[in-house]
Amino acid sequence: KYNERLKSLTLLSSIFKRSEEQQIIVNDRFNLAKKNLKLSRQALKRWFTDEYLEKNPDTYEKISSILENNNIKNFLKVYELFVYHKDDENFQNIKVNTLIMTGENDTGSTVNMSKKLCEVINNSQLKVIKDGKHLCGIECADDVNMTIKNFIEKND
């Protein structure tokens, strides 16, 4: 059984129960992606702080290149799943200790979403990554990795 093998769970930058306004924004970005057939470099401004991008132009260029070279048909299929996700999972069925993390300034996977998710999953705890945005796992790697390491060790 999965629950006998799984000792803990970590969720990073998850979406949960978007507001109507948030859904409209995501729908608009999806429609723009379909028209332009690529994801704008503006996405990186949502994913990283300006300071990080200024200090790490190589990361900016690498991720931009990945986005620009995506197979557009496959990308749009996956993006569509993300846009129209229904939030109908049975999160209360998760029985293992769960760490829920998001960046303090993540506009797509907000702190409020993570708080609500934490309320639904028993045995969960919330960690907000200070000054983090959506890709805080890269920008704030030390904080994210140490938090995950400590959580896993505590639940091992």
Side-chain angles (χ1 to χ4, degrees):
K1 292 182 177 180
Y2 79 90
N3 59 345
E4 293 173 0
R5 294 182 295 191
L6 186 64
K7 294 182 180 180
S8 65
L9 176 65
T10 299
L11 303 174
L12 177 61
S13 300
S14 298
I15 59 162
F16 184 67
K17 301 205 181 287
R18 287 186 189 115
S19 68
E20 284 184 42
E21 180 183 341
Q22 290 165 329
Q23 187 63 52
I24 289 168
I25 291 168
V26 172
N27 290 351
D28 289 346
R29 282 199 310 256
F30 180 56
N31 289 329
L32 186 62
K34 287 190 293 188
K35 288 178 187 170
N36 291 342
L37 299 180
K38 65 181 179 179
L39 191 60
S40 165
R41 285 182 174 227
Q42 279 301 109
L44 277 80
K45 299 287 187 181
R46 289 191 314 273
W47 297 346
F48 295 104
T49 63
D50 290 338
E51 297 79 20
Y52 180 81
L53 291 176
E54 288 170 17
K55 292 178 184 175
N56 298 278
D58 54 327
T59 301
Y60 181 89
E61 289 305 319
K62 184 169 185 162
I63 293 178
S64 292
S65 176
I66 291 168
L67 294 174
E68 290 169 3
N69 292 308
N70 270 335
N71 175 306
I72 194 62
K73 280 183 159 182
N74 290 340
F75 171 77
L76 289 175
K77 285 179 189 178
V78 172
Y79 201 16
E80 185 173 21
L81 291 173
F82 169 76
V83 171
Y84 297 115
H85 177 72
K86 296 295 180 200
D87 279 323
D88 58 357
E89 296 83 6
N90 293 319
F91 287 107
Q92 63 274 12
N93 289 342
I94 297 173
K95 304 298 183 202
V96 297
N97 290 336
T98 303
L99 172 63
I100 300 167
M101 286 192 294
T102 196
E104 176 181 37
N105 299 311
D106 190 336
T107 59
S109 305
T110 67
V111 171
N112 192 43
M113 286 180 183
S114 292
K115 285 180 181 176
K116 288 179 182 177
L117 189 55
C118 199
E119 291 171 6
V120 174
I121 299 176
N122 292 325
N123 304 315
S124 64
Q125 66 185 55
L126 174 63
K127 167 69 174 176
V128 177
I129 304 300
K130 184 171 175 26
D131 299 324
K133 284 190 154 187
H134 191 61
L135 290 183
C136 59
I138 296 172
E139 182 170 353
C140 308
D142 291 343
D143 192 8
V144 169
N145 291 336
M146 191 55 71
T147 301
I148 293 171
K149 178 184 180 289
N150 292 338
F151 182 75
I152 289 172
E153 286 176 350
K154 182 178 133 190
N155 289 286
D156 196 20

